[in-house]
Amino acid sequence: TMLGLGCAVELGQLGQQLRRPVGLLLALLGQFVAMPLLAFLLALIFALDEVAAVAVLLCGCCPGGNLSNLMSVLVDGDMNLSIIMTASSTLLALFLMPLCLWIYSRYWINTAVVQLLPLGAVSLTLGSTLLPIGLGVLIRYRYPRAADLLVKISLWSLLVTLVILFILTGTMLGPDLLAQIPASVYAIAVLMPLAGYALGYGLATVFKMPPHCRRTVSLETGCQNVQLCTAILKLTFSPELIGSMYMFPLLYALFQSAEAGLFVLAYKMYGRDSYKQDTLGEEEDTDISYKKLKEEEVADTSYGTVTTEEHNSIQMEPTQTAL
């Protein structure tokens, strides 16, 4: 996944973002301000215990996932903006994700799971993702065609493997483990991506971005890197400590995919038609303006002809009278 992300990044795009870092700013506000705060508030509202709260916080503090890149294509979004936001949030997570976890876990600071929260291991896991990203950027620079192929493989394999992983995990672990997850955690898994999509769209609206960029920022904000969240839970906590909350990233992945799919379906049914009508309307306006311009030119010519004919008739009338 990270290799495919790196293959989608062009050095020229990075230079543009450094000169005008709108994507970087949106990634910062969406992934490390809005989503961690949202996860913290949901954990408080549903009164989660410390283990469930840490799992929810960890998912909320993760950077953007590659699922948003695929979904942005399906809703005619700004692919460059999507890729830049995902890459930027992944790089920023190296420093900001441990900081956000440290800030928002203060409420549960006296619990054992928070005292054992390994921020150093989180940073190490995040740092390990930089190697495939850097390799992908190098492949894009040296072998563009191979990079295009790797991007396509990465996006589609991501979608397929998420579905397979959830099915296999649910089958192998059985419904007993899923039954141990509280209903409040299921509710958060449903509400959190949905609220993230809404927050992202509102954030893009505040920045007065065009509709296709709003859709992109919305998907980027709500889609989290659940693979990274799962890896951190597995590498930093013992199964006895984290228990059934190991399933939370998979639940989040399921519902964020389903809700994004509904987003895409609604756009295909309604938004795309209105977008086409707007585009056609703009073209019709251009044609009408052009037709009006031509009619004015014809009217000017005919006016001159009439004047000439009237002038000739005036000159002919005295001659007829004289005869």
Side-chain angles (χ1 to χ4, degrees), residues 16 21 29 53 56 81 84 87-88 103 125 146 155 171-172 192 195 197 211 235 237 240 287 293 301:
Q16 291 178 358
L29 294 177
V56 171
L81 176 62
I84 288 298
S88 300
I103 292 174
T125 307
L155 291 178
T171 304
M172 294 175 67
M192 192 168 159
Y197 294 142
L235 294 174
F237 294 103
E240 295 80 10
D287 293 340
L293 180 61
T301 305

Side-chain angles (χ1 to χ4, degrees), residues 2 23 67-68 76-77 81 85 115 140 228 256 261 280 292:
M2 293 298 103
L67 179 66
S68 59
D76 298 325
L81 176 62
M85 286 187 66
Q115 290 176 352
R140 165 63 64 182
L228 180 63
Q256 80 171 3
L280 291 174
K292 286 182 178 180

Side-chain angles (χ1 to χ4, degrees), residues 156-201:
W156 286 108
S157 64
L158 169 67
L159 185 61
V160 173
T161 51
L162 280 177
V163 175
I164 294 176
L165 179 63
F166 186 83
I167 293 174
L168 290 179
T169 304
T171 304
M172 294 175 67
L173 297 179
D176 293 337
L177 182 61
L178 293 175
Q180 295 177 11
I181 300 176
S184 58
V185 175
Y186 279 99
I188 291 177
V190 173
L191 294 175
M192 192 168 159
L194 190 62
Y197 294 142
L199 286 172
Y201 197 90

Side-chain angles (χ1 to χ4, degrees), residues 28-29 63 70-71 76 91 111 119 129 132 150 153 214 217-218 267 270 274 296 304-305 318:
L28 173 65
L29 294 177
L70 177 61
M71 294 300 178
D76 298 325
L91 295 175
T111 60
L119 299 180
T129 64
L150 286 173
I153 294 174
R214 294 179 188 179
V217 176
S218 174
Y267 172 74
Y270 304 104
S274 62
E296 289 176 359
T305 304

Side-chain angles (χ1 to χ4, degrees), residues 40-262:
F40 175 73
L41 292 177
L42 287 174
L44 288 182
I45 292 172
F46 286 91
L48 298 183
D49 58 52
E50 62 274 11
V51 176
V54 166
V56 171
L57 283 176
L58 189 61
C59 190
C61 294
C62 277
N66 289 67
L67 179 66
S68 59
N69 304 143
L70 177 61
M71 294 300 178
S72 295
V73 174
L74 298 179
V75 297
D76 298 325
D78 190 333
M79 190 60 180
N80 289 333
L81 176 62
S82 177
I83 292 170
I84 288 298
M85 286 187 66
T86 304
S88 300
S89 64
T90 303
L91 295 175
L92 289 171
L94 186 62
F95 308 101
L96 295 181
M97 186 176 177
L99 177 62
C100 290
L101 286 172
W102 182 81
I103 292 174
Y104 288 108
S105 64
R106 297 297 91 190
Y107 184 82
W108 299 274
I109 190 62
N110 293 325
T111 60
V113 68
V114 173
Q115 290 176 352
L116 295 174
L117 188 62
L119 299 180
V122 171
S123 299
L124 183 61
T125 307
L126 286 167
S128 65
T129 64
L130 299 182
L131 181 60
I133 291 177
L135 181 60
V137 173
L138 179 62
I139 293 175
R140 165 63 64 182
Y141 179 73
R142 296 292 298 274
Y143 310 103
R145 292 184 179 179
D148 291 336
L149 180 61
L150 286 173
V151 169
K152 293 179 181 179
I153 294 174
S154 171
L155 291 178
W156 286 108
S157 64
L158 169 67
L159 185 61
V160 173
T161 51
L162 280 177
V163 175
I164 294 176
L165 179 63
F166 186 83
I167 293 174
L168 290 179
T169 304
T171 304
M172 294 175 67
L173 297 179
D176 293 337
L177 182 61
L178 293 175
Q180 295 177 11
I181 300 176
S184 58
V185 175
Y186 279 99
I188 291 177
V190 173
L191 294 175
M192 192 168 159
L194 190 62
Y197 294 142
L199 286 172
Y201 197 90
L203 184 64
T205 303
V206 170
F207 277 79
K208 298 181 180 179
M209 304 189 77
H212 71 289
C213 290
R214 294 179 188 179
R215 295 192 296 271
T216 302
V217 176
S218 174
L219 290 169
E220 279 294 327
T221 304
C223 289
Q224 300 296 91
N225 192 335
V226 291
Q227 304 98 307
L228 180 63
C229 182
T230 304
I232 292 175
L233 285 175
K234 183 176 179 61
L235 294 174
T236 57
F237 294 103
S238 64
E240 295 80 10
L241 185 61
I242 200 65
S244 61
M245 286 301 102
Y246 177 75
M247 293 289 291
F248 179 77
L250 298 177
L251 290 176
Y252 189 94
L254 175 66
F255 289 114
Q256 80 171 3
S257 302
E259 291 166 6
L262 293 176

Side-chain angles (χ1 to χ4, degrees), residues 298-317:
V298 173
D300 291 341
T301 305
S302 61
Y303 178 77
T305 304
V306 172
T307 304
T308 304
E309 290 176 355
E310 289 177 353
H311 182 68
N312 291 337
S313 64
I314 292 172
Q315 286 182 344
M316 290 175 66
E317 285 176 359

